[in-house]
Amino acid sequence: MKFGILKERKSPPDRRVVFSPDALVQLQQTYPTAVIKVESSDIRIFTDDQYKAAGFEVSENLEDCDVLFGVKEVPIDSLIANKSYFFFSHTIKKQPYNQKLLKAILEKNIDLYDHETIVDANNRRLIGFGRYAGIVGAYNSIRAFGLKFELFKLPKAETLSGKEDLIRQLKRITLPPIKFVITGTGKVGGGIKEILDAIKVKQVTVDNYLTKNYAQAVYAQIDVMDYNKRIDGQVINCKDFYMNPAAYVGDFERFTKVSEIVITGHFHANEAPAILTKEMLQSKDCKIKVVGDVSCDINGPIACTLRASTIENPNYGYLASEHKEVDVFHPAAIVVMAVDNLPCEIPKDASEGFGTMFLQHVIPAFFNSDKDGVLARAKMTEKGKLTPRFSHLQDYVDGK
């Protein structure tokens, strides 16, 4: 089995990689029959020389590799026919901008495994960059608050070396007694919590968060049953919400009345109620000053997320009264931080964490006949056709 590590070709450049040199050393030691080749790259966070020093061939050509690992979409003209590819294809939600990519993958007889489709038997995702999105999202949200109110100036996350450096910068500032609310308790929410805990922002219960005042910065981490309620007034459980989202209405307004900063780490199904609505943001008792929308669903559950922002310009202003974008320093503006590629800002940490997950959950499947079905579940295309698990994408491929 010959594995190839792809150069990232998408613009703007992405410095992440699936495997660091150390991770490849571990892979080689665990599976001595594996052959590994690294495509030369001048943008990757780990240099060609670092891979060479670890004992790996670096080349401009991966034609002789069986399986190719990348992070972002591979441009159509760079796809090598009759290979297996792993990358984020951004096609499973039928994204219009990548319809031609999936069609080309089928035409080139490529076996595609999307990182998002790598799940366990219970359909839970096994790998991803969510934790790192949460870490950078929390940092950027605090940075936006400091800039907006001229309280402190933090450097951009992309100029720092990684998570520990972000924490060092945050420990130098003094936060006023503000309240943060985090939506979601998964990997993204966990990354946000990691940062707030590291800088000693106190976690409090939902009831205390909603009813008490504090002399220090505090946060509450909330799940779907905290910000949704059944229309009929019944109190059931999360499973009922996921099974019957149409039976619920949003109940986030009680948090808008006491929170200065909202940082999102939720997963939102299409049928679920909106979380932060225009009406909530327009209310006279809305206290929100910054929305760090790590989830970044445009025209989604967070009404002020009018567009994705960029690492270069991470913040924009939102004027609730007119539901439009304005300058960040407009007196009535809520600051929106909605960068949609946050993990790119700490590429070393993100790459190392991703590689660890990949080594644990994916690589063994190549050497144990996929006994847990990880590869079988993840495979989207095979022999020029969609696999049965992803046959629902046929109309998308056909352009219908």
Side-chain angles (χ1 to χ4, degrees), residues 40-104:
S40 179
S41 170
D42 56 355
I43 60 165
R44 191 182 288 134
I45 187 63
F46 303 102
T47 65
D48 288 355
D49 287 343
Q50 285 175 286
Y51 285 100
K52 289 176 184 174
F56 299 103
E57 180 186 357
V58 176
S59 171
E60 300 284 348
N61 189 337
L62 300 184
E63 293 269 359
D64 58 339
C65 294
D66 306 299
V67 182
L68 301 166
F69 297 116
V71 178
K72 290 286 191 70
E73 298 100 314
V74 177
I76 290 172
D77 59 2
S78 297
L79 290 168
I80 306 171
N82 306 309
K83 303 293 181 184
S84 293
Y85 275 88
F86 284 75
F87 57 85
F88 286 108
S89 71
H90 298 117
T91 59
I92 60 174
K93 293 181 181 177
K94 301 185 179 182
Q95 290 94 322
Y97 55 89
N98 278 337
Q99 184 262 351
K100 290 180 180 177
L101 172 62
L102 186 54
K103 192 169 184 178

Side-chain angles (χ1 to χ4, degrees), residues 64-182:
D64 58 339
C65 294
D66 306 299
V67 182
L68 301 166
F69 297 116
V71 178
K72 290 286 191 70
E73 298 100 314
V74 177
I76 290 172
D77 59 2
S78 297
L79 290 168
I80 306 171
N82 306 309
K83 303 293 181 184
S84 293
Y85 275 88
F86 284 75
F87 57 85
F88 286 108
S89 71
H90 298 117
T91 59
I92 60 174
K93 293 181 181 177
K94 301 185 179 182
Q95 290 94 322
Y97 55 89
N98 278 337
Q99 184 262 351
K100 290 180 180 177
L101 172 62
L102 186 54
K103 192 169 184 178
I105 284 167
L106 292 166
E107 289 170 352
K108 290 175 181 282
N109 200 37
I110 287 167
D111 290 351
L112 173 64
Y113 301 81
D114 191 299
H115 296 314
E116 288 191 67
T117 66
I118 299 171
V119 296
D120 66 14
N122 296 312
N123 226 36
R124 290 185 295 243
R125 281 185 63 182
L126 293 171
I127 61 169
F129 288 103
R131 175 190 170 209
Y132 303 95
I135 286 169
V136 180
Y139 178 89
N140 282 3
S141 300
I142 295 169
R143 179 177 179 271
F145 183 83
L147 289 171
K148 167 72 174 176
F149 297 102
E150 299 180 341
L151 295 173
F152 47 81
K153 285 188 176 180
L154 289 165
K156 283 188 171 184
E158 64 170 331
T159 67
L160 303 174
S161 62
K163 184 191 86 170
E164 295 306 321
D165 205 359
L166 302 188
I167 292 168
R168 274 193 294 274
Q169 295 291 334
L170 290 170
K171 283 183 173 178
R172 293 174 180 167
I173 66 172
T174 301
L175 288 170
I178 56 177
K179 288 183 175 181
F180 296 79
V181 61
I182 306 169

Side-chain angles (χ1 to χ4, degrees), residues 194-258:
E194 213 174 313
I195 292 297
L196 296 184
D197 288 345
I199 61 171
K200 302 294 190 287
V201 177
K202 183 181 179 181
Q203 184 172 11
V204 297
T205 66
V206 170
D207 286 343
N208 285 345
Y209 183 90
L210 292 170
T211 58
K212 292 188 176 182
N213 294 319
Y214 293 88
Q216 66 182 100
V218 300
Y219 78 90
Q221 186 170 24
I222 61 176
D223 209 350
V224 290
M225 297 307 288
D226 295 311
Y227 56 88
N228 294 286
K229 60 183 177 182
R230 273 189 70 105
I231 297 167
D232 61 12
Q234 288 188 74
V235 179
I236 307 183
N237 54 32
C238 291
K239 187 176 180 182
D240 178 65
F241 173 78
Y242 293 128
M243 296 289 289
N244 306 293
Y248 286 77
V249 291
D251 192 27
F252 191 74
E253 189 163 16
R254 56 197 188 134
F255 294 97
T256 69
K257 296 175 182 179
V258 297

Side-chain angles (χ1 to χ4, degrees), residues 2 16 24 38-39 42 49 54 68 70 83 151 162 167 256 270 275 284 319 321 337 345 362 388:
K2 190 162 190 177
R16 292 174 295 171
L24 289 184
V38 179
E39 188 173 14
D42 56 355
D49 287 343
L68 301 166
K83 303 293 181 184
L151 295 173
I167 292 168
T256 69
N270 291 337
I275 299 172
K284 289 180 180 177
L319 186 61
S321 60
M337 190 291 301
E345 300 197 53
V362 182

